[in-house]
Amino acid sequence: MISPKIVASSFAQSDSFIFEGRVFNGETNIPRVSIDLYINNSKSASALTNRTGGFKIFLKHNQTYIFEFSKQGYITQQIQLSTRVTDKVMKEGGISEAFQNDFEILEYFEGIMTDDFNKPVRYFSFNEKTFFFEEDMDKSRTIQINTVKASITQIKDKLAANELKNGDELFKENKYEEAFLAYNYAQK
């Protein structure tokens, strides 16, 4: 998920601008996420998040980008971002920086239907009135995202219940250290 409003700061004299963001899952920033950018189905740039999940990429005005986020153990997902601006904005120098872009990636678990994620699931465009990139809720597929999130929660709950049961059995067998590890794992 990306934050509904993405802040774009002052104007610059350039055909490109800095796009800064963070990749996370729940409350955790995710390091070393591969980010591939595509224009017209051709890869135009790549980046890797730093140890705090942050990244910076230069984008050009008046383009439509597909961001593809991937990392082992997570669902590869795409978002579409349009950097289209009017001639008025370009005459004033365009966008110099867009920051506070938060992208959530979802953990992968076997059995989760991820077919919807092989094309963009969220869509954003520049709003010149607010000077933010904003999500187009008519195009974004939040129902599919929420369905996958619900499936992940169910799987995690089932895994936690199994670990609690395992911990109880280990505790009954006086295997306290192993039981502690099972209980600890169930809390994650």
Side-chain angles (χ1 to χ4, degrees):
M1 176 191 302
I2 188 172
S3 57
K5 290 189 174 184
I6 302 169
V7 179
S9 74
S10 63
F11 292 99
Q13 299 293 327
S14 176
D15 69 340
S16 65
F17 60 96
I18 298 170
F19 189 85
E20 187 175 336
R22 170 182 74 101
V23 178
F24 70 98
N25 177 270
E27 299 294 319
T28 306
N29 295 335
I30 308 297
R32 305 196 56 77
V33 174
S34 176
I35 305 168
D36 292 326
L37 268 63
Y38 295 88
I39 300 175
N40 299 323
N41 295 320
S42 292
K43 190 190 261 186
S44 64
S46 293
L48 194 63
T49 61
N50 63 23
R51 61 184 168 79
T52 62
F55 68 91
K56 288 183 182 183
I57 298 174
F58 283 93
L59 301 180
K60 292 186 180 235
H61 294 96
N62 298 316
Q63 297 290 329
T64 299
Y65 289 93
I66 301 295
F67 283 64
E68 184 174 84
F69 300 93
S70 61
K71 180 176 174 114
Q72 187 170 358
Y74 293 86
I75 299 170
T76 297
Q77 58 194 63
Q78 299 178 349
I79 65 114
Q80 179 177 302
L81 182 92
S82 172
T83 62
R84 303 237 179 264
V85 293
T86 62
D87 288 342
K88 178 185 175 204
V89 171
M90 288 307 294
K91 287 178 185 171
E92 293 174 355
I95 306 164
S96 67
E97 184 175 11
F99 55 95
Q100 296 180 354
N101 304 292
D102 294 337
F103 298 86
E104 182 176 24
I105 60 172
L106 304 174
E107 289 179 88
Y108 175 77
F109 290 91
E110 192 166 329
I112 292 181
M113 299 298 291
T114 60
D115 295 343
D116 286 329
F117 287 82
N118 60 7
K119 53 190 172 210
V121 292
R122 302 191 85 114
Y123 295 79
F124 298 85
S125 60
F126 187 72
N127 182 329
E128 293 180 24
K129 292 179 184 171
T130 63
F131 216 71
F132 290 108
F133 284 94
E134 296 179 341
E135 184 167 5
D136 182 338
M137 296 307 290
D138 293 331
K139 286 184 176 180
S140 291
R141 297 178 304 157
T142 53
I143 292 172
Q144 290 88 342
I145 294 167
N146 290 335
T147 299
V148 169
K149 283 182 170 184
S151 295
I152 290 169
T153 299
Q154 288 175 344
I155 290 169
K156 284 182 166 184
D157 289 348
K158 187 175 180 179
L159 290 171
N162 288 341
E163 283 299 322
L164 285 173
K165 184 178 176 182
N166 183 38
D168 290 344
E169 290 171 10
L170 291 166
F171 191 81
K172 287 177 188 175
E173 296 171 7
N174 296 328
K175 297 180 179 178
Y176 302 119
E177 197 171 315
E178 292 173 20
F180 173 78
L181 292 173
Y183 292 139
N184 192 33
Y185 184 76
Q187 290 180 337
K188 291 183 181 181

